Amino acid sequence: MITLASVGSASSAAEYYSADNYYTADQTQDASAWFGKGAEVLGLTGKVEEQTFAAVLEGNLPDGSAIAGKDGVHRPGVDLTFSASKSVSLVAMLGGDKRLVEALKDSVTATLRWAEKNIVEARVWDAAQGRQVPERTGNLIAATFLHDVNRNGEPQMHIHAVIANATKASDGKWHAVRNDELYRAQHVLSAVHNAELRSRVEALGYETVPARNAIDGAFEIKGVTRDAVEAFSTRRAEILAELAKEDRGSARERELAALSTRRGKELAPDAARQVAAWKETARAIGFDPAWLIEHAMARAAGEQTVWSRVVDGIRGIGERGMAIASVMGLTPKDGDPLVPERLGRLEPKAFAAAQAVASAARELGEREAAFSRNDLIRTALERQGPVTVDMIEARIDLLQQRGLLVGSASADRDCMLTTEQALAMETKVIALAQAGKDSVQPIADKDGIVARLQEQARAIGLRRLNAGQEQAGVAILTSKDRIHLVQGGAGVGKSAALAPVAAIAREEGRQVVALSHVGRIAREFGEKTASPASTVDAFLARYARVIDGSASADKVAAARAELSGALVMVDEASQIGTDRLARLITLTNQMDVGKLVLAGDVKQLPAIESGKPFAQLQQQDLRQSPITENLRAQTPQMQAINRALEKGDVAQAFAALKPATIEVAPGKIAGIAADMWADLPKEQRDNTILLAAGRAMRSAGNAAAQASLIERGQIGARGIKLEVLDRVTVTREGARQLKGYHEGRVVAFETNLTRQGLARGERGTVIGIKDGKVELAMPNGEVRRFDPDRLPRNLKHDAVTIFERKEIDLHQGDRIRWTAKDGARGLLNGDIAHVARIDGDTITVTASDGKLHDLPRGDPMLERLDLAYAINVHVAQGMTAQNGIIMMSERERMLNTSASFLVAVTRIAENATLVTDNPDRVERQVEARSGAKTSALETAPDQPKQDRRMTDEHRMLAAIGGPAFARMVLENKERELELVPSRGREVGLERDIEPGRDLERGR
C-alpha cells in the first residue's frame, strides 16, 4: 500500500525521518538512501545526512540553485510511504528473514524508478502558447528511510520516500514538482509496488494469496493466519474505526483519519522489551513463522516458485500458459480480440500478461469507452499473476503497435486508450441512426399542427407551450427521419413538451411507448404522456430475440405489429450507454418504428455504462430540437444559478449560491445539514430534499436526519432493527475476479450456472476463498464452492449481484426507498415510501401510490430498502423539489464534478443551501472535473469519419453489415469481401507476431 502526505517544515521532517529504525538496524545496512536522477546530478548518493536533507527540503540545492515558492513560501515535498503487507512484516521481524527487508527496499526502488519516468512533472513556460504547461521531467530527488514499526509499536515495515519539491526541466532549470500527477497516480503506484514486492517475495520461496481487501493487488504471505495479522494490526483498527463514524474510506480520508488518531512516538523505545512482547503475543495465538521461513528457503535453494510448481509436469508452452492463467483466476477463450495469438505462440508469463491486460481492458471498458494507460496498468496488475509492470507495459505497447488498442503514445502525459470494439460500437450507433434519415412517413400533416399541439396542451392541463417546446413538437410530428433528438437542460419541460406529441400520435392511430433508464422515471414519464411505460432494459429484454435474430417468424411478426409506425420516446436519454442504444436503434430500424425520440441533457449525469451516444449523435446530421427556456427556477437565486450553469460558468454559479453557503468543520456536514432540515416545519420539510454526491455522504445524512427527527419527536422513538442488503458496485468482468468476494458479503445468482450446480434465485454468504474458489454458506447450512471466472461472458445482464449486509433502524414515520423491484406489488426500485406503523415483526408501509403493504419478518423487500432522507444525485436526476440542502465535502473530490453539481442544484425550484467543509476547494474541484464520459472516437481522432457520399441505401447497409461493409460497397469493392478469409484479422496479426517474439517471450 502507498499513502501520500505533504511534508511539513523542513527541519522537523529531517529529524523525524532520520529516526525510528529500531528493530531492523542490525539486519540491514543503509536504512536511508538518496534516490533519483535529480539526486545523481546534484551528487547526492549514499546515506542521507540530516543537514543536507533539510536544505534540499527548503529548496536550497547543493549546486547553489534555489527554488522560490509561491508567495515566498516553498513547499518542502511529498512523503510517499510504501508499506509492506502485515504478513511480510511479521515474517521478517518476528521470524528474522532479513531477505524480506531487502525485497521491500528493492521493490520501492523499482517503483520510484517507474514513477520518475512516468509521473514526475513540472510547469515550464511555453513561449508558443504564452503560458506555463505541464512537462514530464524524468528526474526526481528522493530520500528514502526504512522504518519498521507503526505508531502503536507493532511490526510494520515501511519506507518513507520523501520526494523533494525540485526537478530539472527541459529548459535546464530546477523547478517545483507539480504534485497533481503524484496524487492522481497513487493507485497505479501502489499496484506497481505490490507487484514488484510480490514477485520478490515469491522468488524467495514464499507463496502469496490476495489480501482480504485486494485493492491495487494487495497480498499476504500464505500461511500467516488472519488471527496473526489482526493481533498485530491495532493501528489499522483505530483508523478504520475513525472512518466508520461517517461511512468513509477514500485515500484522502484514510490520511486524515491516520492523522486524527495518531499517537506520539515513544522517544526511546526498549527494543528488547518490545520484541519480547511481540513474541509473547505470537505464542499466545500459536503463530510461529519459523516453518514458513524454512520451507521458503528450501524452495528458493531449488529455484522453485509457486509459478514453477504450477507448470511442473506440463509439457506444452500453451498448456503452461493456460495453467498459470487458471491460477490467476482467468479463463482464456478463443477469439479474444486482445489476445489474437494462437495458443503456444506466447511464453507462459507473456501469455499471463496478455490475459491480464485483456481482462483489465474488458473491466474498464464496461464503464468507459476509453481509459487511461495507468488505469489499464493498475487493473492488469490487480490480477496478481507472475507479472510486473514492465511486462504489462510491453504487452500494451504491442497491442498499440498492432492497432488492437488505439490511442496516444505512452510518452503522452495524458495517454488514453480504447479498443477496436468500442470504436466499432460507436461507429455502429451513428450508422444505425443515420440509416433512419428520410425513411418514415410523418406522424401528422404540417397544416394546423401548431394549433393542434397547443390545443392538446390545454386539454392535458399544461401551460401554453413555449417556442422551443412548440418547435420540438412540430419537428417530431412532421419530419421523415426516424431518430429525433431533444436537447434541453434541467427544468426546461422536455417531458411536458412530449405529452401533446403523444396525444396527437394516438389520434393518428400510432402506438406510443414511454421509456427511461429507471422504473420510477419511466412510470412518471408514462403518467405525464398518458402512455404505457417501461424501463429501457425491460423493453429490450422483451424483444431480445428479435434483436439478435433468434426469434421465430411468428414472434417477429407479432413484434412488428406492436411497433411498426409507433412513437417510442426515451426520457433521460443521456443515461443510456452505447451498447443499449445500439440495440434500441437496431430494434426500431428492424421493426420500422415510426419515430424514436431521445430526450435528455448532455450536461447532466451520463450513463453508468460506457459511452456517451446521446452527445455523439448531437454532433451528427440528425434531426434535433433544442429547448432552452427554464421553467423550474422560480426565484432570483435559482434563476441566476441556472443561467450560470447553462453558460458553463461554475464560478458564477457558486457566487450566486454564496449567500446560502454554510461552511462547517470537516466531518460535521451531515449532522448540521440534517439539523437544518429537521428544524423546518413539516410541510416545508416534506418539500425540501437533502442531496449528496455519493453513497458515504448519503448514508451519513440519512443517519443524522433520522436521529434529528427522533430527538424532535417527529418520528417514533422505538424502532426495529433490520439487516438490509446494500449492493456493491462491480462490473461483470470484475465479478469474475476474486477481489469482490469479501467475507460476509452476499452473492445472489441472476442466471442458472448448471455446471457449478447453482440456480437463478439462489444466494449464499461468503465465508472464505480457497484454491481460487469462493466458499458460500447457503441458507440450508450447506457449503458450496463457486468459481467466479466461469461466469458466462455473453450475458446482457449481471450473472451475479454482490451485496454488503448493513444494519439499520426503522421507526414509525421513517421515509424509505426501495433498492429493488417487486412488480407484483407495484414497488419500483428508487420509489419513496413511508413506514406507516410497526406492529411486532410486521412493518406496514405506505407506497408512493398511497397503497398500504404489510411486510412481515422474512418478506424479501425488507432486505431491499434504505432510509431516504438523503439521496444521491444519480437517484435525484429527473426529480423536482421546492427547496434543497446540498451536502458537499472537499474529501469527496472525485465525486465533485460539474455534472453532479448541476444535477444537484437544478433539482431545486426556489431555495438552495450548500453545506460544505471548504467552499473554495469544492468549487475548484467542480470546475476541474466535468464528470463527462469518455468516447472511443474522441480518443482515436484519426479514425475515418462518416463518408458524406453515403446515400440512405449505404447507411442501411452500414446498419446491417457495419460501416466497413458499407464503405466497400460505396467504393465498388464489395466483391473483394468474398476474398477475405474468416480469420483474416488473425492471419494478418500472425504475420506481425515474429518481429515481436522476443518481446512476447519476456526477453
Side-chain angles (χ1 to χ4, degrees):
M1 181 180 74
I2 291 179
T3 57
L4 282 83
S6 297
V7 176
S9 70
S11 57
S12 60
E15 181 180 358
Y16 168 80
Y17 291 115
S18 300
D20 197 26
N21 186 46
Y22 308 123
Y23 305 99
T24 56
D26 63 339
Q27 296 182 2
T28 181
Q29 299 297 314
D30 303 323
S32 69
W34 288 102
F35 174 87
K37 294 180 181 178
E40 292 173 8
V41 169
L42 295 170
L44 298 173
T45 59
K47 185 179 179 180
V48 179
E49 298 295 338
E50 186 175 324
Q51 187 173 356
T52 304
F53 179 47
V56 170
L57 291 182
E58 288 169 352
N60 299 315
L61 306 183
D63 66 354
S65 301
I67 299 177
K70 186 177 181 181
D71 300 326
V73 179
H74 177 74
R75 292 181 291 106
V78 175
D79 175 10
L80 269 69
T81 305
F82 295 78
S83 299
S85 56
K86 181 62 71 173
S87 58
V88 173
S89 295
L90 294 179
V91 175
M93 297 178 66
L94 269 71
D97 189 349
K98 63 184 180 181
R99 301 176 306 159
L100 291 171
V101 180
E102 296 305 315
L104 175 62
K105 293 171 65 178
D106 290 345
S107 66
V108 169
T109 298
T111 307
L112 288 174
R113 189 174 296 116
W114 187 87
E116 183 174 52
K117 176 184 176 183
N118 297 283
I119 304 298
V120 179
E121 292 185 345
R123 286 189 176 276
V124 297
W125 181 259
D126 187 313
Q129 299 186 49
R131 61 185 179 90
Q132 286 192 326
V133 297
E135 172 190 283
R136 278 192 192 165
T137 63
N139 65 88
L140 59 78
I141 304 170
T144 62
F145 303 90
L146 172 65
H147 291 181
D148 47 20
V149 294
N150 61 25
R151 290 273 174 169
N152 289 9
E154 298 162 332
Q156 184 57 66
M157 289 198 306
H158 58 282
I159 290 178
H160 294 279
V162 181
I163 299 180
N165 189 21
T167 185
K168 203 166 194 175
S170 59
D171 60 6
K173 300 176 182 178
W174 291 96
H175 293 260
V177 175
R178 183 174 179 265
N179 288 338
D180 305 51
E181 282 302 297
L182 280 172
Y183 280 94
R184 197 164 75 166
Q186 179 174 354
H187 282 292
V188 69
L189 287 171
S190 185
V192 169
H193 176 246
N194 282 328
E196 293 290 341
L197 179 57
R198 189 181 64 251
S199 69
R200 287 166 172 78
V201 170
E202 290 174 347
L204 296 177
Y206 292 100
E207 293 186 46
T208 66
V209 293
R212 193 175 189 181
N213 189 11
I215 295 175
D216 302 333
F219 70 94
E220 300 285 359
I221 290 178
K222 187 175 182 179
V224 178
T225 65
R226 187 70 203 164
D227 287 343
V229 169
E230 291 180 349
F232 291 96
S233 299
T234 61
R235 175 69 182 131
R236 174 173 170 76
E238 288 174 353
I239 294 172
L240 293 177
E242 179 69 14
L243 291 170
K245 292 178 182 178
E246 288 193 24
D247 194 15
R248 298 179 283 116
S250 71
R252 170 65 175 157
E253 288 162 349
R254 286 195 296 273
E255 176 190 333
L256 293 171
L259 291 172
S260 67
T261 59
R262 175 178 283 180
R263 302 179 186 179
K265 284 202 171 186
E266 188 178 350
L267 295 179
D270 184 335
R273 178 171 56 83
Q274 185 65 76
V275 171
W278 292 345
K279 291 185 176 180
E280 179 58 34
T281 300
R283 277 194 297 271
I285 61 175
F287 173 63
D288 182 2
W291 70 273
L292 278 174
I293 298 171
E294 181 182 346
H295 282 77
M297 286 185 165
R299 285 192 287 265
E303 297 186 347
Q304 288 186 351
T305 69
V306 60
W307 303 107
S308 67
R309 293 199 303 279
V310 165
V311 299
D312 190 32
I314 302 175
R315 297 186 60 182
I317 291 177
E319 287 72 20
R320 290 182 177 186
M322 291 287 285
I324 289 174
S326 177
V327 173
M328 291 168 63
L330 303 174
T331 305
K333 298 291 184 182
D334 291 338
D336 190 328
L338 291 180
V339 190
E341 299 92 345
R342 289 181 301 186
L343 189 63
R345 298 290 300 208
L346 299 176
E347 290 291 342
K349 289 186 179 180
F351 182 79
Q355 294 296 337
V357 171
S359 173
R362 285 193 298 271
E363 179 171 356
L364 294 171
E366 287 186 41
R367 292 288 185 261
E368 290 287 354
F371 35 82
S372 74
R373 179 184 174 92
N374 282 351
D375 281 344
L376 183 59
I377 291 170
R378 171 203 174 189
T379 310
L381 289 174
E382 284 186 326
R383 274 49 184 166
Q384 297 203 22
V387 294
T388 50
V389 67
D390 56 334
M391 301 172 68
I392 295 299
E393 288 193 293
R395 181 63 187 180
I396 293 171
D397 290 342
L398 191 63
L399 292 175
Q400 280 196 263
Q401 292 168 17
R402 296 177 176 177
L404 298 177
L405 282 178
V406 183
S408 50
S410 59
D412 186 338
R413 57 177 298 276
D414 291 317
C415 180
M416 295 292 291
L417 299 170
T418 189
T419 64
E420 278 193 319
Q421 293 69 43
L423 285 167
M425 182 60 73
E426 290 187 9
T427 305
K428 178 181 178 181
V429 168
I430 294 170
L432 287 166
Q434 290 182 332
K437 286 177 66 65
D438 199 25
S439 64
V440 298
Q441 290 299 312
I443 294 174
D445 293 333
K446 289 185 178 179
D447 291 343
I449 193 61
V450 171
R452 291 182 68 186
L453 278 166
Q454 296 292 0
E455 182 182 343
Q456 286 293 344
R458 283 193 302 273
I460 295 169
L462 299 174
R463 69 179 76 187
R464 180 176 177 82
L465 300 180
N466 61 38
Q469 293 173 315
E470 182 182 276
Q471 290 166 11
V474 170
I476 292 168
L477 291 167
T478 62
S479 79
K480 293 184 178 182
D481 292 350
R482 178 172 283 118
I483 308 297
H484 196 104
L485 311 173
V486 178
Q487 161 61 35
V492 300
K494 296 184 294 293
S495 55
L498 294 176
V501 171
I504 291 174
R506 281 189 290 271
E507 284 184 346
E508 297 293 333
R510 306 294 186 105
Q511 297 291 326
V512 181
V513 179
L515 305 176
S516 193
H517 67 296
V518 294
R520 173 183 54 81
I521 295 177
R523 185 196 62 223
E524 293 171 358
F525 186 36
E527 291 171 352
K528 288 179 182 177
T529 59
S531 308
S534 166
T535 63
V536 172
D537 284 341
F539 186 74
L540 292 174
R542 179 179 178 182
Y543 297 105
R545 291 188 175 276
V546 174
I547 297 170
D548 66 22
S550 63
S552 65
D554 289 344
K555 293 288 186 183
V556 171
R560 190 177 299 277
E562 293 170 356
L563 298 176
S564 180
L567 169 63
V568 178
M569 305 177 297
V570 183
D571 195 18
E572 302 292 348
S574 67
Q575 295 201 316
I576 310 300
T578 302
D579 178 69
R580 283 195 293 169
L581 192 57
R583 285 185 282 144
L584 183 59
I585 301 178
T586 295
L587 178 65
T588 61
N589 286 348
Q590 288 175 340
M591 297 296 101
D592 195 26
V593 166
K595 188 76 63 179
L596 174 62
V597 178
L598 302 173
D601 180 14
V602 295
K603 292 183 179 180
Q604 294 190 56
L605 292 169
I608 292 176
E609 70 264 41
S610 66
K612 50 178 184 180
F614 183 63
Q616 286 179 309
L617 291 181
Q618 291 191 30
Q619 299 168 5
Q620 306 300 315
D621 183 22
L622 296 169
R623 286 276 185 172
Q624 47 193 294
S625 299
I627 302 178
T628 59
E629 183 181 340
N630 191 290
L631 305 175
R632 180 178 295 160
Q634 300 296 307
T635 62
Q637 179 209 37
M638 296 313 303
Q639 289 163 357
I641 292 172
N642 277 271
R643 280 195 302 271
L645 292 176
E646 183 63 28
K647 294 184 295 184
D649 192 339
V650 171
Q652 186 59 41
F654 270 87
L657 193 54
K658 188 173 183 179
T661 297
I662 299 172
E663 185 172 2
V664 302
K668 302 297 183 183
I669 295 173
I672 290 175
D675 283 343
M676 290 173 55
W677 177 81
D679 283 338
L680 296 171
K682 185 178 186 309
E683 184 178 353
Q684 191 174 347
R685 191 169 66 229
D686 289 343
N687 291 305
T688 302
I689 56 174
L690 277 170
L691 288 159
R695 297 171 68 168
M697 187 65 78
R698 181 195 69 200
S699 294
N702 275 328
Q706 186 187 58
S708 294
L709 291 178
I710 294 172
E711 183 182 333
R712 290 159 176 78
Q714 297 294 309
I715 60 175
R718 296 183 62 186
I720 184 172
K721 288 192 178 297
L722 289 181
E723 190 176 73
V724 300
L725 299 179
D726 193 16
R727 183 168 182 164
V728 176
T729 302
V730 63
T731 63
R732 290 170 195 162
E733 183 67 22
R736 297 167 60 81
Q737 313 302 316
L738 293 172
K739 63 182 180 181
Y741 297 92
H742 298 178
E743 188 175 330
R745 285 184 172 177
V746 175
V747 181
F749 295 92
E750 312 293 348
T751 193
N752 292 322
L753 301 176
T754 307
R755 294 185 179 180
Q756 299 201 53
L758 294 160
R760 179 180 179 182
E762 287 191 292
R763 75 181 203 193
T765 301
V766 178
I767 57 175
I769 294 175
K770 186 175 181 180
D771 299 327
K773 294 180 175 59
V774 179
E775 293 189 324
L776 298 174
M778 307 305 286
N780 62 1
E782 180 185 0
V783 175
R784 294 200 213 170
R785 301 182 74 190
F786 155 61
D787 186 352
D789 190 56
R790 292 172 60 195
L791 291 174
R793 296 176 186 262
N794 58 349
L795 295 179
K796 294 297 183 182
H797 61 83
D798 294 337
V800 298
T801 305
I802 305 174
F803 299 97
E804 291 272 17
R805 295 185 188 274
K806 183 172 79 170
E807 194 172 79
I808 65 171
D809 289 322
L810 272 195
H811 297 253
Q812 183 174 326
D814 265 332
R815 182 195 298 175
I816 62 173
R817 67 179 178 89
W818 306 114
T819 60
K821 174 184 175 181
D822 183 336
R825 289 184 280 192
L827 308 178
L828 299 183
N829 190 356
D831 257 358
I832 302 296
H834 290 82
V835 178
R837 60 179 177 271
I838 300 174
D839 185 8
D841 284 342
T842 299
I843 299 174
T844 302
V845 298
T846 306
S848 59
D849 59 4
K851 293 181 180 177
L852 290 174
H853 297 275
D854 291 331
L855 307 179
R857 179 75 71 175
D859 190 300
M861 290 304 283
L862 287 179
E863 290 184 316
R864 304 309 309 277
L865 57 83
D866 200 354
L867 295 174
Y869 297 111
I871 58 175
N872 63 32
V873 290
H874 275 92
V875 174
Q877 184 155 318
M879 286 184 176
T880 300
Q882 183 179 341
N883 306 305
I885 300 172
I886 305 167
M887 302 178 291
M888 297 183 74
S889 171
E890 62 95 8
R891 295 175 175 180
E892 296 184 306
R893 61 189 181 91
M894 298 307 294
L895 298 174
N896 293 336
T897 67
S898 56
S900 66
F901 176 67
L902 182 146
V903 169
V905 78
T906 57
R907 300 307 93 204
I908 302 163
E910 295 185 10
N911 301 294
T913 301
L914 174 63
V915 182
T916 178
D917 49 8
N918 192 327
D920 292 337
R921 180 170 289 178
V922 166
E923 179 183 335
R924 291 196 298 272
Q925 292 170 346
V926 169
E927 282 188 302
R929 294 176 178 83
S930 70
K933 302 289 281 190
T934 58
S935 156
L937 289 171
E938 290 172 356
T939 301
D942 295 332
Q943 291 297 302
K945 303 295 188 295
Q946 189 72 31
D947 198 313
R948 294 185 180 276
R949 296 174 294 165
M950 278 195 173
T951 65
D952 296 336
E953 289 77 11
H954 290 124
R955 293 189 183 95
M956 287 297 291
L957 288 170
I960 297 169
F965 177 74
R967 200 171 294 113
M968 294 286 274
V969 173
L970 180 66
E971 297 172 0
N972 296 318
K973 296 180 180 179
E974 62 269 27
R975 290 182 179 276
E976 297 178 20
L977 291 170
E978 300 175 3
L979 303 177
V980 180
S982 60
R983 291 178 64 251
R985 187 65 171 153
E986 184 178 333
V987 170
L989 285 168
E990 296 265 345
R991 288 196 294 268
D992 295 337
I993 285 176
E994 291 303 329
R997 193 167 176 84
D998 287 345
L999 179 65
E1000 294 163 356
R1001 290 182 181 276
R1003 295 175 181 169

